[in-house]
Structures are given as structure tokens and as C-alpha cells.
Amino acid sequence: KATVSVLYWRGGAKKRKRKKTSTPMTAALYKKWTEVYSTLVSPITSTRFMEKGQLTPEEFLEAGDKLVTRCPIWKWHGATKETEGVHKTMPMDKRYLVMTGARCEKRASDLTNDAGGEEEIEDGWTTTHIDYQAGKPEEAPDMEGDPADTPNEMGNENEEDIPEMGDDDDENGIIDEDDAAAATTTEGLVPSRKYDIHIMYDNYEYTPRVYLQGYDENGNQLTNEEMFQDIFADYKEKTATIEQHPYTGSNMVSIHPCRHAETMKRMIDKLREAHEARVAAQEGEDSTSPTSFGIHADMALFLFLKFISSVIPTIDYDYTTTVNI
């Protein structure tokens, strides 16, 4: 099990202020503005990934292809004739990425009380839930292995573990009443949920954007309020709001991308600092060995999936266990 350490904005820096809570009116106005902007302004064409944490549409496609190759549980989905204008610079069959059936065994709204572990770091950011461990499978997919060997659906059971129909401990098929009562007790259990996670390119912020749709243990769609139970409290109805999916038309939880590029850039800078410290320790500052640092933009979604867990810390979606630079 990998320890989850995530970041969220506390508003502690002098020059930065927490954004006001989004309302339906401001969200609608913002959405209209971004639609107009995207129509009038062409997408960026030169890379800004290392400098600003932003992606061109072509870089997003490259990052999506790498994610699908290394973690086949993610799939590309395309547009229809009615939605082909949403990301018109992208291929019709590669408009957004989808992972289905991501497990959610615990409510994020409970973490503030029992997960514990916050650590203040510089510039107003706080590391949260440093003691919380996500419920990962026994073996995560090998990112460097053959995609054909990686399970592309979660929760598959071994056929040998499935009991024979009619097997029971009583020869006459009679179940003891005490055993039956114990088997049906649900006190203290948290209902299991699953989520479909969609990632698409944001034409205004030039970053990935996430949409979420949750289902209960019986496969029924969760209500908006139920889905907000799986959003970390600091983001509820602020960074995370209910919006219409551009391709499916359904209302889903959307994680607003206004700080995605900034957070991506901070992660890049941290990796650069770690790289420079490692080189200095191994070879010395006066070494003539190459010390250049760079992360190709096709790794962007692997970084993105790491920091988006600050919003949805209990949804078990990230099987990209390592990022090799």
C-alpha cells in the first residue's frame, strides 16, 4: 500500500487569496466566457509545459496515448457529429479519456476527523492526509510491462474463489439463525461505491480537466450530494462543482482546472530540485557529467493523476505507481 500525500491551498501566502465560493450564477457566467474565448482564440501551439505547466492539444494527445499504453484501464473516447466542435483540433476518436469502476471504499468527508496528518509547507500550501493509505490491490500493474499482461478491469475474481452454488455448512440446507443474523449485519460498514473518471483537455486553461460520475454498490447513479461526500471538504462547491459533460450531456462533478497548471509547475520544480540534489550528492558540484533536467510533456497525465488526489483522496484510481524521469 502506498502512502498518499496530497496538497491543497490554505490561502496562507500574502499575495494569494482563496477564491470565493462558486455559485450557480458565477459558474454559468464562467462557462459561457470560456466557450466564447475558446471559439475566438486558437489553442496554444508551442510548448509551455516546463515553464508554465500547460499543454498544447498535441501534447495532451501524446500524454493520453502514453497513459493508455502503460495503464490500459484508461480508454480513449471519441466525439459524435453533435459534439465534434468541442475539441475540433483533436482526432474524432480521441477526445477524452475514461476509466470505469474506480473503487471508493471510504467517504472523503470522514478523513478530516480520522485520517490526520497535516504538514505546513512553504508558500501557503499544506500536505494533507499524510497518514492515510489508499486501498490498493496486492500488486499494481507494472508500468514498464506488457499492456496485455495488465488487467483492464478492476474487481475481477479468480474463478477458483467463486463458491459452488448451494454450498453450505448444513447438510439439510438449514442456516443457523445466529449465523444468518451475523451475515446480514451492516453496522459500521461503509457502502462501497465506484466512479467513472473522465479526463479531457481544457481549451481555456490549457490543462487536463476531470469529470466524475459515481455509482452505489447496486450500480445506481449517486446524487450530487452523495458524490460531494467523496470530495475533500475544502473543494466542495468551490473547485469541484456540478457541470454538464461536454460530450455526454450528463451532469457530473467537475474539478475546476484554474490551478492545475500552477500545481503542475510546482511539481516539476520539486522534481528538478530533487534531481539537482541527487546529482550533486553523487558526482559533486564540479562534475563535468551531464546534469540537465527535463520532463517530456507526455508524462503530464502521470503527474496530474498524482496531485488530483488532493480533491478525491478516497477514490482508488491511480495505478501509475512510479514516474521515471
Side-chain angles (χ1 to χ4, degrees):
K1 294 183 178 180
T3 299
V4 177
S5 181
V6 297
L7 299 176
Y8 74 95
W9 175 243
R10 273 288 194 193
K14 294 181 180 179
K15 295 184 179 180
R16 295 177 182 174
K17 296 180 180 179
R18 183 189 295 274
K19 291 196 172 186
K20 295 182 179 179
T21 301
S22 176
T23 65
M25 179 62 73
T26 57
L29 290 173
Y30 175 83
K31 181 180 180 182
K32 192 64 179 178
W33 161 246
T34 57
E35 290 174 351
V36 172
Y37 179 91
S38 300
T39 301
L40 298 177
V41 180
S42 300
I44 59 175
T45 56
S46 58
T47 184
R48 300 180 184 177
F49 182 62
M50 292 293 292
E51 293 76 19
K52 296 184 177 182
Q54 295 176 330
L55 298 172
T56 66
E58 291 74 18
E59 288 173 333
F60 177 80
L61 287 170
E62 291 177 6
D65 285 342
K66 174 157 283 191
L67 179 64
V68 169
T69 300
R70 291 197 177 186
C71 198
I73 197 168
W74 289 94
K75 307 289 184 184
W76 277 112
H77 283 240
T80 63
K81 288 293 183 180
E82 292 75 17
T83 60
E84 61 181 344
V86 177
H87 296 99
K88 56 187 177 182
T89 61
M90 296 184 179
M92 281 287 287
D93 61 339
K94 291 184 178 181
R95 295 299 179 88
Y96 61 103
L97 294 150
V98 176
M99 174 185 178
T100 60
R103 296 176 301 171
C104 183
E105 306 290 348
K106 192 172 185 179
R107 305 291 78 83
S109 56
D110 297 333
L111 292 184
T112 54
N113 297 323
D114 60 18
E118 289 192 354
E119 178 183 355
E120 291 285 346
I121 58 176
E122 81 285 353
D123 204 20
W125 288 87
T126 298
T127 305
T128 71
H129 308 132
I130 57 177
D131 301 326
Y132 175 69
Q133 292 187 333
K136 298 292 185 182
E138 290 297 324
E139 295 184 2
D142 183 1
M143 296 299 101
E144 302 296 337
D146 186 351
D149 296 332
T150 304
N152 55 14
E153 288 191 9
M154 300 183 344
N156 290 342
E157 297 180 307
N158 190 313
E159 292 183 1
E160 295 180 357
D161 296 330
I162 301 175
E164 290 289 334
M165 296 298 292
D167 274 0
D168 54 58
D169 295 330
D170 189 273
E171 295 181 354
N172 299 318
I174 300 175
I175 301 176
D176 184 82
E177 292 181 1
D178 293 336
D179 293 340
T184 58
T185 298
T186 59
E187 183 179 355
L189 297 180
V190 178
S192 177
R193 295 174 175 178
K194 290 186 177 181
Y195 275 85
D196 293 344
I197 304 176
H198 297 208
I199 302 177
M200 66 186 67
Y201 184 75
D202 188 87
N203 289 323
Y204 183 72
E205 300 289 348
Y206 311 130
T207 64
R209 181 170 189 161
V210 168
Y211 287 81
L212 305 168
Q213 178 61 63
Y215 303 89
D216 65 20
E217 55 191 353
N218 297 317
N220 302 313
Q221 286 192 4
L222 299 176
T223 65
N224 295 345
E225 189 57 38
E226 287 173 330
M227 287 191 289
F228 277 132
Q229 293 172 355
D230 298 319
I231 304 295
F232 186 57
D234 274 30
Y235 298 103
K236 181 180 177 181
E237 296 180 351
K238 299 172 186 176
T239 301
T241 57
I242 301 297
E243 295 189 26
Q244 187 179 60
H245 192 287
Y247 289 97
T248 67
S250 57
N251 289 328
M252 302 173 67
V253 173
S254 172
I255 301 177
H256 196 278
C258 61
R259 304 194 76 90
H260 288 1
E262 177 185 345
T263 306
M264 187 81 76
K265 178 62 165 61
R266 289 174 62 83
M267 291 187 72
I268 293 171
D269 290 343
K270 289 292 184 183
L271 288 171
R272 179 189 287 110
E273 291 172 7
H275 169 80
E276 292 172 351
R278 184 168 60 250
V279 170
Q282 292 177 350
E283 303 177 8
E285 296 182 359
D286 298 329
S287 174
T288 58
S289 301
T291 59
S292 61
F293 169 81
I295 304 176
H296 195 274
D298 65 1
M299 298 299 295
L301 289 179
F302 294 90
L303 297 178
F304 177 75
L305 289 172
K306 301 300 179 186
F307 74 72
I308 208 67
S309 63
S310 62
V311 185
I312 49 175
T314 59
I315 299 179
D316 187 11
Y317 65 87
D318 185 10
Y319 296 99
T320 60
T321 55
T322 59
V323 177
N324 296 319
I325 306 303

